[in-house]
Amino acid sequence: MNLPDPLGVPGAPRETWTAVQRHVQAPSAHGGQLILVTDRHGERERAAYGALLERGADRVVLARAFGPHFGPAGVQALAELVAWAVGAGLALREAVLPPPDTAQLLSEPDAALAARAVAASAPLDPGVFLPGKGRM
């Protein structure tokens, strides 16, 4: 079972965040999780993130367009995504996958890779990504 194409445009933080906002306007069951996905372990200040968003039965991949790798716009979009997830009551997690797996999951997602990201994910303090609260 394949997942739909990723939401957003790789490398385009504002466009991707706007696509996410449009997508989440649809009603969904409460709960779920946002798993930030990167291939950089211990390098958040340079990382590029995509994500796996699960809300109820809705599972969608967000394009690799968030984080410091994409400059101030990437940092801002990541902070807004994280703040939205916290406000929506989603669990926030992070998965660091090998570069080939990260690239495939965030460009041509399939259920097996998504399950791997879920299994590899660990809880994440949202303050790491919110302005004035963390290191970014």
Side-chain angles (χ1 to χ4, degrees), residues 33-96:
Q33 62 185 348
L34 175 69
I35 301 172
L36 300 177
V37 179
T38 186
D39 59 9
R40 291 196 172 264
H41 187 273
E43 297 183 31
R44 286 191 181 123
E45 58 280 344
R46 297 186 322 183
Y49 289 92
L52 180 61
L53 173 62
E54 296 180 329
R55 298 182 320 141
D58 183 36
R59 180 183 268 186
V60 64
V61 171
L62 312 183
R64 184 176 178 259
F66 299 94
H69 180 81
F70 302 108
V75 171
Q76 174 84 26
L78 180 57
E80 291 176 15
L81 175 66
V82 168
W84 168 80
V86 169
L90 301 179
L92 188 61
R93 302 180 65 84
E94 181 179 37
V96 180

Side-chain angles (χ1 to χ4, degrees), residues 89-113:
L90 301 179
L92 188 61
R93 302 180 65 84
E94 181 179 37
V96 180
L97 301 176
D101 292 347
T102 300
Q104 184 175 352
L105 175 64
L106 300 178
S107 61
E108 298 178 22
D110 66 35
L113 272 174

Side-chain angles (χ1 to χ4, degrees), residues 12-22 66 77 80-82 84:
R14 297 308 317 158
E15 291 85 347
T16 301
W17 173 229
T18 299
V20 172
Q21 288 173 304
R22 278 192 218 112
F66 299 94
E80 291 176 15
L81 175 66
V82 168
W84 168 80

